[in-house]
Amino acid sequence: MKTTRLLLLMLGIVSSAQAQLEPGSWYTGACFRVAMNSSNSGDNHSTNFIINPGTFYTINDHWGAGGMLSYQTEIDKTGDDQKNTTYSYSVLPGVRYYGQISERVNCYLQGLLGIGGGTTKYEYDGNESKTNNFSWGAGIKPGIMW
């Protein structure tokens, strides 16, 4: 619960800072996430770390363009004999369209394209193998800035 409140507070601070930028301004931010999970049996453990730095340029009152980089590490352990480790990275160029709801509240629609890759390493019963990964995608997300 404390983590959720802290994240909402940080989102509010970042969003209000973005809403006050003038056309021709650059802004930079980052998102960090660390998650750890374990099963009820205690044999399965998962750790996930993500960092997403990004920067955008405000073109005019309604448009912004920029992009993000993403790095992710995921480690899954099943008992003592199996471990899967995935390292991945992505480049995400994007645009935002801004609209004003009130004097202090703005909304935006963000579109991103992504391309990335990485490696997954499998360790089991003393053996090891690797697989290379490739990914791409596109997405649209709405947002509100206060």
Side-chain angles (χ1 to χ4, degrees), residues 6-50:
L6 178 62
L7 290 174
L8 289 174
L9 175 65
M10 290 171 56
L11 178 63
I13 291 169
V14 169
S15 296
S16 65
Q18 292 173 349
Q20 297 170 3
L21 291 174
E22 296 295 322
S25 299
W26 286 90
Y27 60 94
T28 301
C31 174
F32 301 93
R33 186 179 100 188
V34 176
M36 291 175 252
N37 301 309
S38 62
S39 69
N40 290 337
S41 66
D43 291 339
N44 299 334
H45 301 279
S46 176
T47 304
N48 194 332
F49 170 78
I50 299 173

Tab-separated table of all heavy atoms in Angstrom, residues 6-50:
chain	number	residue	atom	x	y	z
A	6	LEU	N	3.309	5.984	-2.849
A	6	LEU	CA	4.533	6.650	-3.274
A	6	LEU	C	4.572	6.779	-4.794
A	6	LEU	O	4.908	7.841	-5.323
A	6	LEU	CB	5.760	5.895	-2.774
A	6	LEU	CG	7.119	6.470	-3.186
A	6	LEU	CD1	7.304	7.874	-2.620
A	6	LEU	CD2	8.232	5.561	-2.711
A	7	LEU	N	4.195	5.716	-5.507
A	7	LEU	CA	4.180	5.767	-6.967
A	7	LEU	C	3.164	6.783	-7.482
A	7	LEU	O	3.439	7.515	-8.429
A	7	LEU	CB	3.891	4.391	-7.542
A	7	LEU	CG	5.007	3.363	-7.385
A	7	LEU	CD1	4.544	1.996	-7.863
A	7	LEU	CD2	6.246	3.796	-8.122
A	8	LEU	N	1.992	6.855	-6.868
A	8	LEU	CA	0.991	7.842	-7.272
A	8	LEU	C	1.479	9.266	-7.020
A	8	LEU	O	1.264	10.162	-7.834
A	8	LEU	CB	-0.337	7.587	-6.556
A	8	LEU	CG	-1.100	6.352	-7.007
A	8	LEU	CD1	-2.324	6.123	-6.115
A	8	LEU	CD2	-1.513	6.478	-8.456
A	9	LEU	N	2.142	9.492	-5.887
A	9	LEU	CA	2.699	10.805	-5.587
A	9	LEU	C	3.757	11.185	-6.614
A	9	LEU	O	3.752	12.299	-7.141
A	9	LEU	CB	3.299	10.828	-4.180
A	9	LEU	CG	4.011	12.122	-3.785
A	9	LEU	CD1	3.025	13.280	-3.713
A	9	LEU	CD2	4.724	11.944	-2.463
A	10	MET	N	4.662	10.246	-6.927
A	10	MET	CA	5.709	10.526	-7.914
A	10	MET	C	5.106	10.785	-9.292
A	10	MET	O	5.543	11.688	-10.008
A	10	MET	CB	6.706	9.373	-7.966
A	10	MET	CG	7.566	9.292	-6.720
A	10	MET	SD	8.579	7.814	-6.600
A	10	MET	CE	9.503	7.852	-8.113
A	11	LEU	N	4.081	10.026	-9.672
A	11	LEU	CA	3.411	10.231	-10.948
A	11	LEU	C	2.789	11.618	-11.003
A	11	LEU	O	2.875	12.314	-12.006
A	11	LEU	CB	2.346	9.153	-11.176
A	11	LEU	CG	1.527	9.280	-12.452
A	11	LEU	CD1	2.428	9.136	-13.668
A	11	LEU	CD2	0.432	8.241	-12.484
A	12	GLY	N	2.164	12.048	-9.909
A	12	GLY	CA	1.584	13.383	-9.857
A	12	GLY	C	2.617	14.479	-10.005
A	12	GLY	O	2.406	15.458	-10.721
A	13	ILE	N	3.761	14.316	-9.347
A	13	ILE	CA	4.829	15.310	-9.442
A	13	ILE	C	5.373	15.373	-10.867
A	13	ILE	O	5.521	16.448	-11.443
A	13	ILE	CB	5.954	14.997	-8.441
A	13	ILE	CG1	5.448	15.223	-7.013
A	13	ILE	CG2	7.189	15.858	-8.704
A	13	ILE	CD1	6.373	14.693	-5.941
A	14	VAL	N	5.657	14.214	-11.454
A	14	VAL	CA	6.185	14.180	-12.816
A	14	VAL	C	5.160	14.734	-13.797
A	14	VAL	O	5.487	15.505	-14.686
A	14	VAL	CB	6.599	12.745	-13.199
A	14	VAL	CG1	6.897	12.638	-14.683
A	14	VAL	CG2	7.803	12.324	-12.386
A	15	SER	N	3.909	14.359	-13.632
A	15	SER	CA	2.874	14.818	-14.547
A	15	SER	C	2.692	16.323	-14.481
A	15	SER	O	2.530	16.984	-15.491
A	15	SER	CB	1.536	14.129	-14.227
A	15	SER	OG	1.645	12.758	-14.452
A	16	SER	N	2.735	16.889	-13.286
A	16	SER	CA	2.568	18.338	-13.186
A	16	SER	C	3.764	19.057	-13.777
A	16	SER	O	3.626	20.108	-14.382
A	16	SER	CB	2.351	18.757	-11.725
A	16	SER	OG	3.494	18.476	-10.951
A	17	ALA	N	4.949	18.484	-13.649
A	17	ALA	CA	6.135	19.100	-14.241
A	17	ALA	C	6.030	19.077	-15.760
A	17	ALA	O	6.367	20.040	-16.430
A	17	ALA	CB	7.393	18.377	-13.782
A	18	GLN	N	5.544	17.986	-16.320
A	18	GLN	CA	5.406	17.902	-17.765
A	18	GLN	C	4.353	18.873	-18.281
A	18	GLN	O	4.523	19.443	-19.338
A	18	GLN	CB	5.030	16.481	-18.174
A	18	GLN	CG	6.139	15.477	-17.938
A	18	GLN	CD	5.684	14.062	-18.191
A	18	GLN	OE1	4.510	13.788	-18.358
A	18	GLN	NE2	6.614	13.148	-18.191
A	19	ALA	N	3.286	19.065	-17.549
A	19	ALA	CA	2.206	19.918	-18.002
A	19	ALA	C	2.622	21.383	-18.065
A	19	ALA	O	2.006	22.166	-18.766
A	19	ALA	CB	0.998	19.764	-17.066
A	20	GLN	N	3.673	21.787	-17.346
A	20	GLN	CA	4.081	23.174	-17.306
A	20	GLN	C	5.145	23.523	-18.344
A	20	GLN	O	5.588	24.651	-18.417
A	20	GLN	CB	4.608	23.499	-15.909
A	20	GLN	CG	3.554	23.356	-14.840
A	20	GLN	CD	4.148	23.440	-13.452
A	20	GLN	OE1	5.328	23.668	-13.284
A	20	GLN	NE2	3.313	23.241	-12.458
A	21	LEU	N	5.560	22.581	-19.164
A	21	LEU	CA	6.612	22.836	-20.143
A	21	LEU	C	6.085	23.663	-21.305
A	21	LEU	O	4.977	23.464	-21.775
A	21	LEU	CB	7.198	21.529	-20.658
A	21	LEU	CG	8.012	20.744	-19.645
A	21	LEU	CD1	8.415	19.407	-20.237
A	21	LEU	CD2	9.236	21.524	-19.226
A	22	GLU	N	6.915	24.539	-21.791
A	22	GLU	CA	6.583	25.379	-22.933
A	22	GLU	C	7.023	24.691	-24.223
A	22	GLU	O	7.942	23.871	-24.209
A	22	GLU	CB	7.296	26.727	-22.798
A	22	GLU	CG	6.861	27.537	-21.599
A	22	GLU	CD	5.415	27.973	-21.680
A	22	GLU	OE1	4.953	28.309	-22.790
A	22	GLU	OE2	4.745	27.968	-20.640
A	23	PRO	N	6.426	25.029	-25.364
A	23	PRO	CA	6.897	24.495	-26.635
A	23	PRO	C	8.385	24.813	-26.826
A	23	PRO	O	8.859	25.879	-26.467
A	23	PRO	CB	6.040	25.228	-27.671
A	23	PRO	CG	4.782	25.555	-26.921
A	23	PRO	CD	5.219	25.844	-25.515
A	24	GLY	N	9.112	23.851	-27.375
A	24	GLY	CA	10.550	24.007	-27.550
A	24	GLY	C	11.358	23.476	-26.386
A	24	GLY	O	12.574	23.535	-26.398
A	25	SER	N	10.702	22.914	-25.373
A	25	SER	CA	11.388	22.392	-24.193
A	25	SER	C	11.658	20.895	-24.338
A	25	SER	O	10.905	20.182	-24.977
A	25	SER	CB	10.537	22.599	-22.935
A	25	SER	OG	10.302	23.955	-22.706
A	26	TRP	N	12.739	20.454	-23.712
A	26	TRP	CA	13.053	19.040	-23.593
A	26	TRP	C	12.733	18.597	-22.173
A	26	TRP	O	12.925	19.360	-21.242
A	26	TRP	CB	14.552	18.791	-23.824
A	26	TRP	CG	14.965	18.912	-25.242
A	26	TRP	CD1	15.400	20.035	-25.877
A	26	TRP	CD2	14.987	17.876	-26.214
A	26	TRP	NE1	15.702	19.765	-27.173
A	26	TRP	CE2	15.462	18.435	-27.408
A	26	TRP	CE3	14.660	16.522	-26.184
A	26	TRP	CZ2	15.606	17.687	-28.572
A	26	TRP	CZ3	14.809	15.788	-27.340
A	26	TRP	CH2	15.274	16.363	-28.516
A	27	TYR	N	12.255	17.386	-22.011
A	27	TYR	CA	12.106	16.837	-20.666
A	27	TYR	C	12.514	15.377	-20.660
A	27	TYR	O	12.386	14.676	-21.636
A	27	TYR	CB	10.701	17.055	-20.099
A	27	TYR	CG	9.573	16.438	-20.875
A	27	TYR	CD1	9.075	15.186	-20.547
A	27	TYR	CD2	8.972	17.122	-21.929
A	27	TYR	CE1	8.028	14.633	-21.242
A	27	TYR	CE2	7.922	16.569	-22.626
A	27	TYR	CZ	7.458	15.331	-22.279
A	27	TYR	OH	6.412	14.778	-22.978
A	28	THR	N	13.069	14.985	-19.529
A	28	THR	CA	13.618	13.648	-19.385
A	28	THR	C	13.083	13.021	-18.108
A	28	THR	O	12.904	13.705	-17.103
A	28	THR	CB	15.161	13.716	-19.314
A	28	THR	OG1	15.628	14.335	-20.515
A	28	THR	CG2	15.762	12.345	-19.191
A	29	GLY	N	12.845	11.739	-18.131
A	29	GLY	CA	12.378	11.018	-16.957
A	29	GLY	C	12.782	9.561	-17.054
A	29	GLY	O	13.371	9.128	-18.040
A	30	ALA	N	12.465	8.809	-16.034
A	30	ALA	CA	12.787	7.385	-16.032
A	30	ALA	C	11.799	6.649	-15.140
A	30	ALA	O	11.250	7.213	-14.206
A	30	ALA	CB	14.205	7.150	-15.533
A	31	CYS	N	11.607	5.386	-15.450
A	31	CYS	CA	10.765	4.506	-14.655
A	31	CYS	C	11.626	3.324	-14.220
A	31	CYS	O	12.345	2.743	-15.029
A	31	CYS	CB	9.595	4.019	-15.497
A	31	CYS	SG	8.579	2.780	-14.683
A	32	PHE	N	11.582	2.996	-12.938
A	32	PHE	CA	12.307	1.848	-12.396
A	32	PHE	C	11.300	0.898	-11.773
A	32	PHE	O	10.355	1.341	-11.135
A	32	PHE	CB	13.287	2.279	-11.292
A	32	PHE	CG	14.308	3.259	-11.736
A	32	PHE	CD1	14.104	4.612	-11.595
A	32	PHE	CD2	15.493	2.818	-12.301
A	32	PHE	CE1	15.047	5.524	-12.000
A	32	PHE	CE2	16.454	3.721	-12.707
A	32	PHE	CZ	16.226	5.082	-12.562
A	33	ARG	N	11.524	-0.402	-11.952
A	33	ARG	CA	10.635	-1.365	-11.316
A	33	ARG	C	11.441	-2.580	-10.896
A	33	ARG	O	12.231	-3.115	-11.667
A	33	ARG	CB	9.537	-1.804	-12.274
A	33	ARG	CG	8.506	-2.685	-11.593
A	33	ARG	CD	7.438	-3.081	-12.533
A	33	ARG	NE	7.743	-4.437	-12.971
A	33	ARG	CZ	7.109	-5.069	-13.918
A	33	ARG	NH1	6.172	-4.486	-14.595
A	33	ARG	NH2	7.430	-6.298	-14.233
A	34	VAL	N	11.247	-2.998	-9.667
A	34	VAL	CA	11.848	-4.225	-9.160
A	34	VAL	C	10.715	-5.041	-8.550
A	34	VAL	O	9.948	-4.533	-7.739
A	34	VAL	CB	12.932	-3.944	-8.089
A	34	VAL	CG1	13.473	-5.238	-7.520
A	34	VAL	CG2	14.054	-3.100	-8.662
A	35	ALA	N	10.604	-6.292	-8.967
A	35	ALA	CA	9.556	-7.158	-8.438
A	35	ALA	C	10.163	-8.499	-8.068
A	35	ALA	O	11.009	-9.025	-8.791
A	35	ALA	CB	8.453	-7.355	-9.482
A	36	MET	N	9.755	-9.043	-6.921
A	36	MET	CA	10.197	-10.365	-6.485
A	36	MET	C	8.975	-11.177	-6.086
A	36	MET	O	8.126	-10.686	-5.349
A	36	MET	CB	11.152	-10.231	-5.306
A	36	MET	CG	12.477	-9.629	-5.691
A	36	MET	SD	13.529	-9.361	-4.284
A	36	MET	CE	13.449	-7.588	-4.184
A	37	ASN	N	8.893	-12.393	-6.599
A	37	ASN	CA	7.756	-13.267	-6.310
A	37	ASN	C	8.258	-14.641	-5.921
A	37	ASN	O	9.293	-15.094	-6.383
A	37	ASN	CB	6.864	-13.411	-7.557
A	37	ASN	CG	6.336	-12.092	-8.045
A	37	ASN	OD1	5.779	-11.331	-7.278
A	37	ASN	ND2	6.536	-11.806	-9.315
A	38	SER	N	7.490	-15.322	-5.074
A	38	SER	CA	7.795	-16.725	-4.758
A	38	SER	C	6.472	-17.473	-4.625
A	38	SER	O	5.452	-16.894	-4.283
A	38	SER	CB	8.616	-16.837	-3.475
A	38	SER	OG	7.907	-16.334	-2.379
A	39	SER	N	6.515	-18.762	-4.920
A	39	SER	CA	5.301	-19.566	-4.838
A	39	SER	C	5.054	-19.991	-3.394
A	39	SER	O	5.920	-19.868	-2.534
A	39	SER	CB	5.430	-20.796	-5.741
A	39	SER	OG	6.398	-21.667	-5.206
A	40	ASN	N	3.865	-20.532	-3.148
A	40	ASN	CA	3.514	-21.003	-1.803
A	40	ASN	C	4.397	-22.158	-1.358
A	40	ASN	O	4.649	-22.342	-0.183
A	40	ASN	CB	2.043	-21.429	-1.759
A	40	ASN	CG	1.124	-20.238	-1.865
A	40	ASN	OD1	1.511	-19.119	-1.559
A	40	ASN	ND2	-0.093	-20.466	-2.322
A	41	SER	N	4.882	-22.959	-2.320
A	41	SER	CA	5.712	-24.100	-1.953
A	41	SER	C	7.121	-23.665	-1.563
A	41	SER	O	7.854	-24.428	-0.960
A	41	SER	CB	5.791	-25.089	-3.123
A	41	SER	OG	6.486	-24.509	-4.208
A	42	GLY	N	7.494	-22.443	-1.924
A	42	GLY	CA	8.814	-21.935	-1.572
A	42	GLY	C	9.903	-22.346	-2.530
A	42	GLY	O	11.044	-21.930	-2.403
A	43	ASP	N	9.590	-23.187	-3.538
A	43	ASP	CA	10.593	-23.657	-4.487
A	43	ASP	C	10.751	-22.739	-5.700
A	43	ASP	O	11.783	-22.741	-6.346
A	43	ASP	CB	10.248	-25.064	-4.985
A	43	ASP	CG	10.391	-26.108	-3.883
A	43	ASP	OD1	11.112	-25.837	-2.905
A	43	ASP	OD2	9.780	-27.175	-4.008
A	44	ASN	N	9.726	-21.984	-6.046
A	44	ASN	CA	9.759	-21.146	-7.238
A	44	ASN	C	9.966	-19.682	-6.838
A	44	ASN	O	9.227	-19.141	-6.021
A	44	ASN	CB	8.457	-21.283	-8.025
A	44	ASN	CG	8.226	-22.701	-8.487
A	44	ASN	OD1	9.163	-23.458	-8.669
A	44	ASN	ND2	6.972	-23.066	-8.670
A	45	HIS	N	10.970	-19.042	-7.456
A	45	HIS	CA	11.268	-17.636	-7.177
A	45	HIS	C	11.456	-16.903	-8.495
A	45	HIS	O	12.037	-17.428	-9.439
A	45	HIS	CB	12.545	-17.508	-6.343
A	45	HIS	CG	12.482	-18.207	-5.031
A	45	HIS	ND1	11.875	-17.653	-3.926
A	45	HIS	CD2	12.927	-19.422	-4.646
A	45	HIS	CE1	11.959	-18.503	-2.921
A	45	HIS	NE2	12.590	-19.586	-3.328
A	46	SER	N	10.983	-15.670	-8.544
A	46	SER	CA	11.125	-14.851	-9.740
A	46	SER	C	11.533	-13.444	-9.323
A	46	SER	O	10.975	-12.878	-8.382
A	46	SER	CB	9.798	-14.811	-10.499
A	46	SER	OG	9.898	-13.959	-11.601
A	47	THR	N	12.522	-12.892	-10.007
A	47	THR	CA	12.977	-11.524	-9.767
A	47	THR	C	12.979	-10.797	-11.096
A	47	THR	O	13.475	-11.323	-12.092
A	47	THR	CB	14.391	-11.494	-9.158
A	47	THR	OG1	14.397	-12.275	-7.967
A	47	THR	CG2	14.814	-10.080	-8.842
A	48	ASN	N	12.420	-9.585	-11.127
A	48	ASN	CA	12.303	-8.821	-12.350
A	48	ASN	C	12.776	-7.402	-12.085
A	48	ASN	O	12.344	-6.771	-11.116
A	48	ASN	CB	10.836	-8.837	-12.793
A	48	ASN	CG	10.647	-8.361	-14.194
A	48	ASN	OD1	11.418	-7.556	-14.703
A	48	ASN	ND2	9.609	-8.851	-14.836
A	49	PHE	N	13.653	-6.874	-12.945
A	49	PHE	CA	14.148	-5.507	-12.831
A	49	PHE	C	13.983	-4.826	-14.188
A	49	PHE	O	14.372	-5.381	-15.215
A	49	PHE	CB	15.625	-5.491	-12.433
A	49	PHE	CG	16.262	-4.135	-12.529
A	49	PHE	CD1	16.032	-3.190	-11.550
A	49	PHE	CD2	17.068	-3.799	-13.606
A	49	PHE	CE1	16.598	-1.921	-11.639
A	49	PHE	CE2	17.641	-2.550	-13.702
A	49	PHE	CZ	17.411	-1.607	-12.716
A	50	ILE	N	13.383	-3.633	-14.203
A	50	ILE	CA	13.171	-2.877	-15.437
A	50	ILE	C	13.577	-1.428	-15.207
A	50	ILE	O	13.249	-0.840	-14.174
A	50	ILE	CB	11.692	-2.915	-15.873
A	50	ILE	CG1	11.246	-4.347	-16.151
A	50	ILE	CG2	11.465	-2.048	-17.109
A	50	ILE	CD1	9.758	-4.474	-16.433
